[in-house]
């Protein structure tokens, strides 16, 4: 928790070394959701799928979360939405862990197909398993009772037009950041990079904001490299 609190995401002016201090600064709700996310990843410390690395997936998730929160803060004054964008970014790929642990043989085949065919991982998942990590992750978070905005952002982060978000929110922010981070820094990417839905951004009137969002992503990647 302290590592995340001291990361570029929070941009605090002081180093936090006491968990109680972190709770005072960030609030109990933020800490509660952060601990939940960390606990989820810790349950899968040993992944049975060779080409899926937990550390890389965690770093990717942190960068998506950080960039998504910054984009919300850049475009609107809504701390609650910014916090939920962060949580959605942190958990958007949790379905990969569920699939890899419960179906290791099948998921190894998914990865092989994605890499050999140079297709997006979620497309290979649909072909081999009949479901994607986004759908599985969204279903899991729904069972856990997380807010609908986080569930929707997880379930539809590859296809934002399938959600009911008709303006900038956690879903659009996570979708854009996931695609841009894989484009710029393919740390945890398997197969082809996820496609950015520029048509959906245009429909929402956000396409002109894309260059600034790309700058935010580049800044986030550069800052996070010095933390992890």
């Amino acid at each position: 928790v302290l590592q995340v609190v001291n990361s570029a995401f929070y941009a605090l002016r002081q180093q936090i070394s006491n968990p109680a201090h972190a709770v005072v600064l960030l609030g109990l709700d933020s800490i509660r959701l952060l601990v939940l996310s960390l606990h989820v990843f810790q349950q899968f410390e040993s992944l049975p799928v060779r080409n899926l690395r937990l550390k890389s997936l965690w770093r990717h998730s942190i960068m998506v979360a950080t960039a998504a929160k910054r984009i919300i803060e850049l475009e609107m004054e809504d701390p609650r939405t910014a916090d939920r964008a962060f949580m959605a970014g942190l958990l958007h790929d949790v379905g990969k862990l569920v699939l890899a642990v419960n179906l290791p043989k099948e998921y190894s085949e998914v990865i092989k197909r994605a890499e050999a065919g140079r297709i997006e991982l979620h497309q290979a998942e649909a072909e081999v398993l009949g479901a994607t990590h986004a759908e599985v992750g969204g279903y899991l978070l729904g069972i856990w009772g997380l807010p609908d905005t986080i569930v929707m952002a997880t379930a539809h982060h590859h296809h934002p037009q399938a959600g009911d978000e008709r303006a900038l929110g956690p879903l659009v922010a996570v979708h854009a950041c996931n695609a841009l981070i894989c484009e710029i820094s393919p740390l945890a990417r398997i197969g082809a990079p996820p496609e950015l839905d520029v048509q959906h951004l245009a429909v929402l009137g956000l396409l002109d904001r894309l260059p600034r969002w790309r700058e935010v992503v580049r800044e986030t990647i550069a800052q996070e490299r010095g933390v992890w």
Side-chain angles (χ1 to χ4, degrees):
V1 170
L2 291 176
Q3 186 181 38
V4 175
V5 169
N6 286 310
S7 73
F9 162 62
Y10 287 105
L12 300 177
R13 296 183 180 180
Q14 55 184 309
Q15 193 78 8
I16 306 302
S17 58
N18 187 317
H21 191 191
V23 173
V24 171
L25 285 174
L26 304 177
L28 188 58
D29 286 344
S30 294
I31 291 294
R32 178 175 58 85
L33 290 173
L34 181 57
V35 169
L36 169 64
S37 302
L38 292 167
H39 181 69
V40 168
F41 276 85
Q42 287 175 346
Q43 298 309 299
F44 303 103
E45 286 185 4
S46 179
L47 291 177
V49 179
R50 184 180 61 183
N51 292 334
L52 191 65
R53 295 179 176 85
L54 185 62
K55 184 176 181 180
S56 295
L57 188 60
W58 172 245
R59 289 181 62 191
H60 168 76
S61 299
I62 279 287
M63 287 191 290
V64 171
T66 303
K69 177 179 184 291
R70 287 176 170 173
I71 284 175
I72 295 295
E73 290 175 334
L74 178 69
E75 304 293 351
M76 62 179 70
E77 294 183 5
D78 188 346
R80 184 180 180 85
T81 298
D83 285 344
R84 292 195 171 182
F86 171 72
M87 294 310 307
L90 206 56
L91 293 169
H92 77 285
D93 274 345
V94 68
K96 292 180 181 178
L97 302 177
V98 175
L99 292 172
V101 168
N102 290 280
L103 300 169
K105 182 178 179 180
E106 293 86 347
Y107 209 68
S108 293
E109 177 60 31
V110 166
I111 292 175
K112 289 179 182 177
R113 182 171 300 199
E115 292 180 336
R118 295 299 300 164
I119 61 175
E120 295 182 42
L121 183 65
H122 69 92
Q123 294 174 324
E125 291 167 343
E127 292 176 6
V128 176
L129 304 173
T132 71
H133 68 271
E135 294 165 341
V136 171
Y139 185 76
L140 176 64
L141 299 185
I143 290 174
W144 285 352
L146 268 66
D148 289 344
T149 51
I150 296 176
V151 173
M152 183 174 63
T154 300
H156 302 302
H157 70 268
H158 286 294
H159 302 291
Q161 74 283 357
D164 59 7
E165 195 173 272
R166 295 296 174 257
L168 177 61
L171 171 57
V172 172
V174 169
H175 166 73
C177 292
N178 181 57
L180 292 173
I181 285 171
C182 287
E183 170 194 312
I184 298 169
S185 178
L187 181 67
R189 192 178 78 199
I190 298 171
E195 183 177 357
L196 180 64
D197 193 341
V198 293
Q199 183 176 1
H200 187 62
L201 294 182
V203 169
L204 298 180
L206 298 170
L207 193 56
D208 63 325
R209 302 299 299 154
L210 190 55
R212 182 66 186 100
W213 293 1
R214 187 173 270 106
E215 289 179 15
V216 170
V217 167
R218 290 187 184 278
E219 292 167 1
T220 300
I221 292 172
Q223 290 173 332
E224 289 297 337
R225 280 174 177 163
V227 175
W228 302 91

